[in-house]
Amino acid sequence: MLNYQGFQQVKIIASDNLWEPISSSMLFDPELLKVIDVIGAHYPGTHTVQNAKLTGKKLWSSEDFSTLNSDVGAGCWARILNQNYINGYMTSTIAWNLVASYYEELPYGRCGLMTAQEPWSGHYVVESPIWVSAHTSQFTQPGWYYLKTVGHLKEGGSYVALTDGLGNLTIVIETMSHKHSMCIRPFLPYYNVSQQLATFFLQGTFSDIPELHVWYTKLGIPSKRFLFKRLDSIWLVDSGGTFTLELQEDEIFTLTTLTTGRKGQFPFPPRSQPFPPIYDDDFDVEYPFFSEAPYFADQTGVFEYYMNTEDSGRHQYTLRQVLNQRPITWAADALSPISIIGDYQWTNLTIECDVYIETPEKGGVFIAGRVNKGGILIRSATGVFFWIFASGFYRLTADLAGWMTYTSGRAEIRAQEWYTLTLIIKGPMSSGMLNGQLLWEYIPVHYPRNGWAAIGTHSFEFAQFDNFHVEAVH
């Protein structure tokens, strides 16, 4: 089908899951074998299976890492970058994710190669996995290939060698200890790494290389920690292509003929700051279309800027939930679309928002505070949820699923009318207002004690939000 539509250059990677059953299926199905270019597995633990190798296709770790970007995460990344090829013949390892730019308390917080999770302050951190990446990515290019003389070091650790076929050579050595290189998945069997002397022999045309440039990283103890530091070159004139390195635990060496390596500089980042305790958004943005509003993080559904062509007044520009049917999902999303915002540590807060139910009779929307879960856990999120429905009812629930109700009642509510909802949470009590009129007051809400603010809809339905306001204290 892709070729028929003129996309012959598009290649297919399958199946972004486990090595099986896709590998066996390809061996039994010649047509499937023909159309798939790469077998991609997620979190393979540096190993593949025999059937995958028998296909003769390129093998990739098409999703890997997703580990806290501390020095342990950097050690994980260093180990699998080498050993995915040594143990599993994988020529590509793709990190999930590149930049951790989402609220840290969501699942897999700070599981990116670097961190930039405060757009309101501009603060960012170039974490150690970035410099681990540089040990390989600065000294190879697409089209380079691994030499067969790669493997494990006698006292623990590993080495790989790559060339461009034009005389250039890059060797990457890692000695990551078990304790300092455990990835989030899969389980890593115990092994030992010790201080050692490693001797390398360059043969063939590589024996004539006169100089290898050296880049070095040491992870772990802060006083001995170095990140991507250039060391003195190794001179090989009259050495017969032989040299010896003294290796300690948790080190990375890159030895290369390339002279283009450099440790880039970046501006000192702005100071880290919590989310503003008072925040307003009127969503009055004419362009770009189909964009999210700043700081809102959709956990289920899609919330986009929207322009009402029939309303040239106060609600011409709004934020709209635009999915009217549940999509094919990767994880267990919620039955109710929800977008979170703010500081996870917020405790006492007032949330106010204009809302517009588009679906008659069955439609509904909510605002919420102290929302305590997101991502793959969003279905079980608890908090304080203030719902209104086009059928003329309101509810206050303790969870997104609506299983636990604090209070409920009737109110003058219908679809295709604008209403202002106000939710006040202070200590163990809450109050709620519809267009400034109290619906309930001093209703106990005991759990959770803190969490994000949120907006959302009852089901996958069109609904609009405007003039969002939150005022919070920890």
Side-chain angles (χ1 to χ4, degrees):
M1 178 60 73
L2 289 172
N3 291 348
Y4 179 77
Q5 296 293 335
F7 294 102
Q8 292 88 350
Q9 76 280 10
V10 176
K11 307 300 181 183
I12 296 176
I13 303 170
S15 64
D16 281 340
N17 193 355
L18 305 176
W19 295 116
E20 295 288 10
I22 186 63
S23 299
S24 297
S25 298
M26 292 170 65
L27 292 176
F28 283 108
D29 186 338
E31 187 64 24
L32 182 64
L33 182 68
K34 179 181 178 181
V35 299
I36 292 176
D37 291 272
V38 177
I39 303 179
H42 285 192
Y43 306 96
T46 76
H47 293 280
T48 186
V49 297
Q50 183 64 20
N51 281 345
K53 291 184 281 188
L54 288 175
T55 65
K57 299 292 184 175
K58 293 179 181 178
L59 307 181
W60 287 9
S61 176
S62 52
E63 182 178 314
D64 220 326
F65 182 62
S66 71
T67 300
L68 182 72
N69 55 26
S70 62
D71 274 11
V72 173
C76 154
W77 187 228
R79 178 175 55 80
I80 65 177
L81 279 176
N82 266 22
Q83 296 190 29
N84 273 350
Y85 180 75
I86 296 167
N87 300 336
Y89 302 101
M90 287 164 266
T91 56
S92 175
T93 298
I94 300 174
W96 187 93
N97 55 71
L98 294 180
V99 183
S101 292
Y102 45 91
Y103 293 114
E104 185 170 341
E105 295 82 3
L106 287 170
Y108 309 109
R110 281 186 53 203
C111 286
L113 299 184
M114 64 174 286
T115 304
Q117 60 191 18
E118 294 183 12
W120 53 88
S121 72
H123 178 74
Y124 63 90
V125 182
V126 180
E127 309 279 7
S128 49
I130 285 286
W131 303 116
V132 169
S133 303
H135 275 278
T136 297
S137 61
Q138 282 206 23
F139 307 106
T140 60
Q141 292 290 332
W144 284 50
Y145 56 89
Y146 286 94
L147 300 179
K148 293 182 179 180
T149 51
V150 301
H152 295 275
L153 298 168
K154 183 177 180 181
E155 300 299 331
S158 68
Y159 64 96
V160 294
L162 302 99
T163 183
D164 60 357
L166 302 174
N168 284 308
L169 174 69
T170 291
I171 302 169
V172 184
I173 305 162
E174 61 82 21
T175 58
M176 296 299 114
S177 63
H178 182 272
K179 180 179 179 180
H180 294 141
S181 70
M182 288 186 287
C183 305
I184 195 171
R185 67 178 74 82
F187 172 76
L188 179 64
Y190 182 77
Y191 64 89
N192 188 57
V193 176
S194 303
Q195 179 181 350
Q196 59 191 304
L197 295 176
T199 300
F200 295 83
F201 302 90
L202 304 185
Q203 298 179 343
T205 58
F206 294 134
S207 64
D208 295 327
I209 292 174
E211 178 186 9
L212 288 174
H213 305 278
V214 182
W215 293 83
Y216 174 71
T217 287
K218 171 71 173 180
L219 301 173
I221 302 172
S223 61
K224 299 181 179 179
R225 185 174 184 261
F226 295 98
L227 294 175
F228 201 56
K229 179 181 180 181
R230 184 164 187 174
L231 302 183
D232 292 338
S233 296
I234 297 174
W235 290 94
L236 300 173
V237 177
D238 298 327
S239 70
T242 301
F243 62 93
T244 299
L245 289 177
E246 180 178 353
L247 304 175
Q248 311 284 340
E249 286 187 47
D250 301 321
E251 294 181 327
I252 311 168
F253 284 88
T254 295
L255 318 174
T256 182
T257 57
L258 298 183
T259 60
T260 52
R262 62 186 295 269
K263 186 171 184 178
Q265 297 180 337
F266 52 89
F268 193 77
R271 181 172 57 90
S272 174
Q273 297 182 36
F275 193 92
I278 300 175
Y279 180 73
D280 296 274
D281 196 336
D282 59 13
F283 309 120
D284 286 355
V285 177
E286 186 172 356
Y287 182 83
F289 303 116
F290 314 120
S291 295
E292 295 178 315
Y295 316 142
F296 280 90
D298 301 350
Q299 303 303 298
T300 296
V302 176
F303 296 75
E304 296 179 347
Y305 287 133
Y306 180 69
M307 183 173 68
N308 289 310
T309 57
E310 298 179 359
D311 188 340
S312 59
R314 187 166 180 254
H315 299 296
Q316 182 178 10
Y317 300 104
T318 66
L319 192 69
R320 191 188 196 207
Q321 201 294 118
V322 297
L323 291 189
N324 62 358
Q325 61 181 352
R326 188 181 182 190
I328 298 171
T329 60
W330 165 77
D333 65 349
L335 298 178
S336 298
I338 177 173
S339 188
I340 62 171
I341 188 172
D343 190 326
Y344 188 77
Q345 302 306 321
W346 279 349
T347 298
N348 300 321
L349 65 162
T350 298
I351 306 156
E352 188 168 274
C353 190
D354 297 342
V355 298
Y356 186 86
I357 303 169
E358 297 190 35
T359 304
E361 298 181 6
K362 296 183 179 180
V365 298
F366 68 84
I367 61 174
R370 295 184 182 174
V371 178
N372 72 339
K373 293 179 183 177
I376 60 174
L377 305 176
I378 188 60
R379 180 170 288 194
S380 60
T382 59
V384 183
F385 296 82
F386 175 15
W387 309 75
I388 65 168
F389 301 93
S391 57
F393 285 89
Y394 71 87
R395 291 180 70 198
L396 179 69
T397 70
D399 61 330
L400 178 61
W403 292 106
M404 299 174 283
T405 300
Y406 288 126
T407 188
S408 62
R410 294 196 62 86
E412 291 293 326
I413 304 165
R414 63 181 63 87
Q416 300 173 5
E417 296 273 352
W418 280 99
Y419 299 94
T420 301
L421 303 186
T422 305
L423 175 63
I424 303 168
I425 310 169
K426 188 173 183 180
M429 299 294 177
S430 74
S431 303
M433 292 186 286
L434 176 69
N435 292 339
Q437 300 296 314
L438 272 173
L439 293 179
W440 76 88
E441 190 174 19
Y442 303 130
I443 294 292
V445 288
H446 298 291
Y447 178 83
R449 296 183 181 277
N450 56 275
W452 298 287
I455 58 175
T457 59
H458 178 240
S459 63
F460 288 94
E461 61 185 277
F462 298 131
Q464 297 177 53
F465 303 84
D466 203 1
N467 302 312
F468 177 84
H469 168 82
V470 61
E471 186 168 341
V473 294
H474 292 306

